[in-house]
Amino acid sequence: MNAEFDFDKMNGLLPAVVQDSRDGEVLMVGFMNREAVEKTLEKGYVTFYSRTRQQLWMKGESSGNRLKLVSAHTDCDRDTLLLRVEVEGAGVVCHRGTRSCFTESVAQLSQRTAETKAAVVKETR
Amino acid sequence: MNAEFDFDKMNGLLPAVVQDSRDGEVLMVGFMNREAVEKTLEKGYVTFYSRTRQQLWMKGESSGNRLKLVSAHTDCDRDTLLLRVEVEGAGVVCHRGTRSCFTESVAQLSQRTAETKAAVVKETR
């Protein structure tokens, strides 16, 4: 089925971008090994491979916020997936309680890092 | 600036999802090392790190289809970037001449793989 995916560039994994099929919001990026891709296509719900836990996990299996697959595309190099989904349950994808995981702007991050540094400098004076 | 990004999970790289800021279309996924992130934020145009060529490359530098940065967000793990952009030049991102790199549906890919297999079986009979 996925004989043509290129799993070699990332030691057996493909990054998978999850996008809300209704409004195009990018919700998260996860990683998939061959088994996770097969399970996702077979079940119609997104299953990732956790790099930290080194095991498969169906996103939202316990919370109910499962990602129902609407379409799956690969790119010109066949080393990445774009999955359009409908979020079930409360519609919350991030474990922090937000819809998308991409909530922190890099400008905010830079600002906060600068403030932390300034506070540290102040404290250590 | 990016002291808080987690570059450790992918040997110094972050995947960066590039999304059209006007209509939300996901155009491509590239990878960035610390230097590529810094250059992107400094110049306001997306620069990746090429894993195959092992060097920085400003996307569209020769073709003119540069990716002008509109916003940059990171996720809850700080190991991925979401870059919203305006595509300059002819608006073509993929080297194959399409706007997005994600043109091949996995169903089509499966179909084509199955057809190739069937043809091979037929030929070798």
Side-chain angles (χ1 to χ4, degrees):
Chain A
M1 173 277 309
N2 49 13
E4 290 195 57
F5 285 124
D6 181 357
F7 285 100
D8 293 339
K9 279 193 194 146
M10 258 189 75
N11 300 318
L13 297 178
L14 306 179
V17 180
V18 177
Q19 185 180 31
D20 194 302
S21 65
R22 295 169 310 170
D23 62 6
E25 186 172 8
V26 175
L27 302 171
M28 66 174 292
V29 170
F31 292 86
M32 292 187 167
N33 61 4
R34 190 179 294 275
E35 203 184 340
V37 174
E38 285 172 355
K39 202 155 185 175
T40 296
L41 296 176
E42 184 196 322
K43 303 281 184 191
Y45 284 94
V46 177
T47 288
F48 293 113
Y49 177 80
S50 165
R51 296 177 295 174
T52 45
R53 287 178 284 137
Q54 301 193 341
Q55 61 183 39
L56 294 183
W57 58 291
M58 182 190 279
K59 174 74 189 163
E61 195 166 27
S62 52
S63 68
N65 300 319
R66 298 192 301 175
L67 306 177
K68 189 177 180 183
L69 194 65
V70 174
S71 71
H73 286 77
T74 188
D75 66 348
C76 46
D77 293 335
R78 290 180 191 148
D79 58 6
T80 310
L81 285 164
L82 173 61
L83 309 174
R84 293 198 185 90
V85 304
E86 280 172 21
V87 187
E88 291 189 345
V92 170
V93 170
C94 189
H95 69 281
R96 286 188 175 177
T98 51
R99 189 156 167 260
S100 165
C101 288
F102 292 98
T103 51
E104 188 151 37
S105 90
V106 172
Q108 283 168 356
L109 182 63
S110 308
Q111 177 65 23
R112 207 154 48 72
T113 309
E115 280 167 9
T116 309
K117 275 184 191 162
V120 170
V121 169
K122 205 175 171 185
E123 275 173 21
T124 52
R125 261 178 189 164
Chain B
M1 175 274 311
N2 48 14
E4 290 192 57
F5 286 123
D6 181 358
F7 285 98
D8 293 340
K9 279 192 194 147
M10 259 191 75
N11 301 319
L13 298 178
L14 306 178
V17 180
V18 176
Q19 185 180 32
D20 194 303
S21 64
R22 295 169 311 171
D23 62 8
E25 185 173 10
V26 174
L27 302 173
M28 65 173 294
V29 171
F31 293 86
M32 290 186 169
N33 61 4
R34 189 180 296 274
E35 203 184 340
V37 174
E38 285 172 354
K39 202 157 184 175
T40 297
L41 296 176
E42 184 195 322
K43 303 281 186 191
Y45 284 93
V46 178
T47 288
F48 293 113
Y49 177 80
S50 165
R51 296 178 294 174
T52 45
R53 288 178 284 138
Q54 303 194 341
Q55 62 183 39
L56 295 184
W57 58 292
M58 182 192 278
K59 174 75 189 162
E61 196 168 27
S62 52
S63 69
N65 300 319
R66 298 192 301 175
L67 307 176
K68 189 176 178 182
L69 195 66
V70 174
S71 70
H73 286 77
T74 188
D75 66 348
C76 46
D77 293 334
R78 291 180 190 148
D79 58 7
T80 309
L81 284 165
L82 173 61
L83 309 174
R84 293 197 185 91
V85 304
E86 280 172 22
V87 188
E88 292 189 344
V92 169
V93 170
C94 190
H95 69 282
R96 286 188 175 176
T98 53
R99 188 156 168 260
S100 164
C101 288
F102 291 98
T103 51
E104 189 152 35
S105 91
V106 172
Q108 283 168 355
L109 182 63
S110 308
Q111 177 66 21
R112 206 152 49 70
T113 308
E115 281 167 10
T116 310
K117 274 185 192 161
V120 169
V121 169
K122 206 174 168 185
E123 275 172 22
T124 54
R125 261 181 190 163

